[in-house]
Amino acid sequence: MSTIILRYSDTPLTSLTFSGTATEQYEFDPAINLPPVPVQELVQGKLLSGRRYSHILYTHLLFDFTISADELSDVIDITDTPDVMPASKAFIRDFILAKYKYISYPAGSNYIEVIKEGNGIEVTYIEDYIYLPEFRLQLITASPVDPTTLTNLALKPISMV
Amino acid sequence: MNMYFGKIEGNVHVIPFMALYMFYNSDFTAFSNIEAESSYRYSPITRPNSKGGQRFIGYRVEIKTYVPHTAYIDETAYGESMLERLNTLVQNRHDVQLLLGKRVNTLPAEHRGDSSNATEGLWVEFHRLLRMTYEIESVPFKPRLIITHSGIVPKINMS
């Protein structure tokens, strides 16, 4: 399994258990799907004795993937005009704009609440052609990650999870 | 269903590029009896993925149609010249069809050209997805028109 599922909601989910029947979710097979990276916040300093210390306050996981045009242009058909926005692309737009974001990584796993890193939307267009977009999404866990999840996900390619 | 493509006899056909059809604003423009250099090409667009492979994105299309006709400014037949029509097509997205080999040909008999020795036929269709340019170059004794269509399409469409 190398796909992920993104889900969004206007209100916090009451349960993070995966639901295959949820409507506001979409399964993607990103062209670039990097192993999640642990991101730590530390308190560091030096004692009077000269000993250095580094306390881990929180550890989050950073998901970094790129959904390419092959996943976003599915309704551009020879019989359609390319002015119709594909459902997958419309979902990405709604996901980015939604208040609460979740990822099921890999697809079918329980949801993890995430927030988007940075303010902008990283979208590029292959060959500068507006119907071949690529979205790079960097999502970081909203809450600190427990040690079990860290062991299961951190730095593991999605196929090993 | 299993598919086998091994038998040669009866399965390798002569399908030359015979004519270029363009439709815009309910007007039809066709170039037949085109030169043998005329060609079309679908090249896949791919991008590397994180598994060391390539992800297929779509096809880049380029069609070059070499036209021997030199009636560029004559308006007597249609009330507008070939150059005026080409300029309209350059500025507007339009439907494009290529006639390959022998297919039911919608052109008047005197414009169909020789059917050559084609043994099979295909239509290649593009729905408003290509942009067009044209150029005129000099070859010995006369000018020659080259119509180029290019663009990106999600899949190859033949009928």
Side-chain angles (χ1 to χ4, degrees), chain B residues 2 8-9 19 44 47 53 78 80 87 95 103 126 140 144:
Chain B
N2 300 329
I8 297 294
E9 184 187 353
R47 60 108 62 227
Y78 302 109
E80 69 175 319
N87 288 336
D95 295 348
R103 258 288 187 258
F126 304 95
R144 175 168 76 163

Side-chain angles (χ1 to χ4, degrees), chain A residues 8-146:
Chain A
Y8 66 86
S9 175
D10 286 333
T11 54
L13 295 186
T14 52
S15 166
L16 294 177
T17 304
F18 177 75
S19 164
T21 56
T23 53
E24 292 169 334
Q25 68 181 11
Y26 206 99
E27 185 168 2
F28 291 99
D29 182 9
I32 302 293
N33 196 350
L34 303 179
V37 177
V39 178
Q40 294 184 318
E41 286 182 44
L42 307 168
V43 174
Q44 294 179 315
K46 190 162 65 174
L47 303 179
L48 284 176
S49 64
R51 190 189 190 285
R52 291 183 179 276
Y53 65 89
S54 177
H55 295 309
I56 299 170
L57 294 181
Y58 325 104
T59 304
H60 294 78
L61 274 178
L62 177 68
F63 300 92
D64 188 343
F65 50 87
T66 301
I67 297 168
S68 192
D70 61 315
E71 291 277 288
L72 299 171
S73 54
D74 49 356
V75 301
I76 298 177
D77 202 320
I78 210 75
T79 54
D80 294 318
T81 64
D83 306 322
V84 180
M85 183 182 268
S88 53
K89 190 174 168 188
F91 176 88
I92 294 275
R93 175 198 60 199
D94 296 340
F95 178 81
I96 289 168
L97 296 176
K99 282 184 183 172
Y100 299 95
K101 303 171 174 56
Y102 301 88
I103 187 170
S104 169
Y105 184 102
S109 309
N110 286 342
Y111 302 113
I112 300 172
E113 188 183 354
V114 290
I115 60 172
K116 194 169 69 62
E117 274 280 84
N119 295 319
I121 299 169
E122 281 195 62
V123 54
T124 54
Y125 295 92
I126 297 170
E127 310 237 343
D128 293 331
Y129 185 49
I130 57 169
Y131 299 116
L132 295 181
E134 274 197 343
F135 287 93
R136 182 181 181 197
L137 286 174
Q138 287 187 301
L139 304 173
I140 192 164
T141 52
S143 303
V145 179
D146 61 81

Side-chain angles (χ1 to χ4, degrees), chain B residues 71-121:
Chain B
Y72 300 133
I73 59 171
D74 185 1
E75 298 180 359
T76 52
Y78 302 109
E80 69 175 319
S81 68
M82 185 201 295
L83 280 184
E84 284 177 62
R85 176 58 62 87
L86 288 171
N87 288 336
T88 302
L89 291 168
V90 164
Q91 289 163 9
N92 297 284
R93 285 191 180 275
H94 52 269
D95 295 348
V96 176
Q97 269 189 317
L98 308 187
L99 171 61
L100 309 183
K102 59 176 187 182
R103 258 288 187 258
V104 175
N105 198 322
T106 57
L107 298 176
E110 66 270 30
H111 291 293
R112 282 180 197 163
D114 299 327
S115 58
S116 75
N117 54 351
T119 57
E120 184 54 274

Side-chain angles (χ1 to χ4, degrees), chain B residues 12 31 37 59 74 104 110 137:
Chain B
V12 179
F31 289 94
E37 281 175 82
Y59 287 102
D74 185 1
V104 175
E110 66 270 30
E137 66 175 9

Side-chain angles (χ1 to χ4, degrees), chain B residues 120-133:
Chain B
E120 184 54 274
L122 292 168
W123 286 110
V124 182
E125 297 170 289
F126 304 95
H127 180 76
R128 290 181 62 228
L129 291 169
L130 306 182
R131 294 312 295 250
M132 177 193 136
T133 58

